[in-house]
Amino acid sequence: MWKVGMSEEIGKALQAVVDRVNQAMARRPKTLPAVPPRLVAVSKTKPPEMVIEAYRNGHRNFGENYVNELVEKASNPQILASCPEIKWHFIGHLQKNNVNKLLGVPNLFMVETVDSAKLAERVNSSWQRLRTGSIDKLKIMVQINTSGEESKHGLPPEDTVNTVRHIVSKCSALHFSGLMTIGRYGYDLADGPNPDFQALLSRRQEVCDSLQLPLENVELSMGMSTDFEHAIEVGSTNVRVGSTIFGNRDYPDTPTPSPEKKSKVPTEEAAKKMEHLTVKQH
């Protein structure tokens, strides 16, 4: 339930995350592309008032995991009136039967979870049909299942280059923006750089080498509330942060807490070790 006192809390929490993003960017090796990271505030299960408050504090990029919730929130009269420059990112699993519904969302900025050539084709044809006369391409990212977990969606890593090649050559209504991964929850950074992030870095290099794309033109969406600083340090250009800004989520219909809430937060000892990590180059 939204309370007036939460207004100031959201502003402070958002600024604290922005500061951490900037500090992590400053620690990024100069050998990596100097692309400023985009902070996507994940507002799933949160009321429109919280989105509006973050917007009033200068934030523009927001993410949602479920099509119906995004449709409802993006079409909310208060948000439409108060947040004319809002940019919505879809960051959840997209089923083909929900594509038309998603693409009708006002101020849709990017779909980060295209995980097959067939889904890309469906999104491409739907965008052409729904946005007749528009020259604006829809920004999309290709989701890779870097951890190999059956519970995670995304392309097998070895299919990355061919899928991106198909999108770039066959899907004229889409703009390939980069690669995205969720990765394994609860990775302990005391064990070294996150292997899921390293895997995404490798796949980007392969894509750029194979398709002759500039490295700085292919974004990496990786990192959430518990690991976004490390993700930025190793090259992420797009981090998805929810509970750290808006507070823990409420799931009234399920007893299982959000995986983000179950993740291990790096200990102080792990944080110290991170300072000495060597970023692997691919």
Side-chain angles (χ1 to χ4, degrees), residues 157-233:
E158 61 272 17
D159 293 346
T160 304
V161 171
N162 286 337
T163 302
V164 174
R165 179 184 286 114
H166 181 88
I167 292 170
V168 171
S169 62
K170 303 294 186 182
C171 299
S172 60
L174 306 183
H175 174 76
F176 169 65
S177 296
L179 305 176
M180 178 267 206
T181 189
I182 295 175
R184 191 179 299 275
Y185 292 120
Y187 177 75
D188 191 344
L189 292 171
D191 295 333
N194 188 313
D196 290 307
F197 299 167
Q198 296 299 317
L200 206 65
L201 283 162
S202 295
R203 295 301 168 179
R204 177 175 68 173
Q205 191 67 57
E206 291 177 6
V207 166
C208 291
D209 290 345
S210 299
L211 305 182
Q212 298 183 321
L213 299 174
L215 206 63
E216 62 272 15
N217 287 0
V218 179
E219 292 197 44
L220 296 176
S221 178
M222 57 188 194
M224 299 188 289
S225 282
T226 59
D227 55 14
F228 69 88
E229 288 161 297
H230 175 58
I232 291 170
E233 288 171 8

Side-chain angles (χ1 to χ4, degrees), residues 65-72 90 93-94 98 101-102:
N65 290 65
Y66 304 109
V67 172
N68 288 340
E69 185 175 0
L70 175 53
V71 169
E72 181 179 350
F90 183 71
H93 179 56
L94 178 59
N98 278 329
K101 185 183 294 187
L102 173 64

Side-chain angles (χ1 to χ4, degrees), residues 8-273:
E8 186 175 347
E9 292 176 16
I10 289 176
K12 288 181 177 178
L14 179 61
Q15 187 57 54
V17 172
V18 169
D19 290 344
R20 291 168 64 187
V21 166
N22 292 334
Q23 290 162 10
M25 175 64 182
R27 295 191 296 269
R28 180 188 291 174
K30 304 305 180 186
T31 53
L32 291 170
V35 179
R38 179 193 300 110
L39 172 61
V40 177
V42 181
S43 49
K44 71 175 180 180
T45 78
K46 299 302 181 182
E49 291 86 353
M50 284 190 171
V51 173
I52 293 169
E53 192 54 42
Y55 186 95
R56 285 174 178 162
N57 277 274
H59 203 66
R60 295 295 180 266
N61 290 279
F62 294 83
E64 289 288 338
N65 290 65
Y66 304 109
V67 172
N68 288 340
E69 185 175 0
L70 175 53
V71 169
E72 181 179 350
K73 211 168 283 183
S75 304
N76 179 277
Q78 288 178 286
I79 288 180
L80 287 172
S82 305
C83 312
E85 297 177 357
I86 197 168
K87 297 176 180 179
W88 288 109
H89 295 239
F90 183 71
I91 60 173
H93 179 56
L94 178 59
Q95 296 177 315
K96 292 185 183 71
N97 61 349
N98 278 329
V99 167
N100 288 342
K101 185 183 294 187
L102 173 64
L103 299 192
V105 164
N107 299 307
L108 180 65
F109 180 73
M110 184 182 291
V111 178
E112 296 194 20
T113 50
V114 173
D115 60 4
S116 70
K118 287 185 177 180
L119 179 60
E121 290 173 353
R122 176 69 66 86
V123 173
N124 181 69
S125 61
S126 294
W127 187 254
Q128 288 176 323
R129 185 172 63 255
L130 293 171
R131 307 289 172 128
T132 303
S134 173
I135 60 173
D136 293 333
K137 294 187 176 185
L138 175 65
K139 295 180 177 66
I140 64 101
M141 288 190 179
V142 173
Q143 182 180 2
I144 312 300
N145 184 353
T146 53
S147 64
E149 295 170 276
E150 292 185 5
S151 60
K152 298 286 195 308
H153 295 286
L155 273 177
E158 61 272 17
D159 293 346
T160 304
V161 171
N162 286 337
T163 302
V164 174
R165 179 184 286 114
H166 181 88
I167 292 170
V168 171
S169 62
K170 303 294 186 182
C171 299
S172 60
L174 306 183
H175 174 76
F176 169 65
S177 296
L179 305 176
M180 178 267 206
T181 189
I182 295 175
R184 191 179 299 275
Y185 292 120
Y187 177 75
D188 191 344
L189 292 171
D191 295 333
N194 188 313
D196 290 307
F197 299 167
Q198 296 299 317
L200 206 65
L201 283 162
S202 295
R203 295 301 168 179
R204 177 175 68 173
Q205 191 67 57
E206 291 177 6
V207 166
C208 291
D209 290 345
S210 299
L211 305 182
Q212 298 183 321
L213 299 174
L215 206 63
E216 62 272 15
N217 287 0
V218 179
E219 292 197 44
L220 296 176
S221 178
M222 57 188 194
M224 299 188 289
S225 282
T226 59
D227 55 14
F228 69 88
E229 288 161 297
H230 175 58
I232 291 170
E233 288 171 8
V234 300
S236 178
T237 63
N238 190 85
V239 293
R240 312 176 301 272
V241 180
S243 57
T244 306
I245 296 171
F246 296 112
N248 288 335
R249 301 190 183 97
D250 296 319
Y251 292 86
D253 297 327
T254 59
T256 306
S258 164
E260 196 172 281
K261 289 163 68 177
K262 295 191 290 183
S263 301
K264 289 192 291 185
V265 178
T267 63
E268 184 176 346
E269 178 185 0
K272 289 180 180 178
K273 289 183 180 181

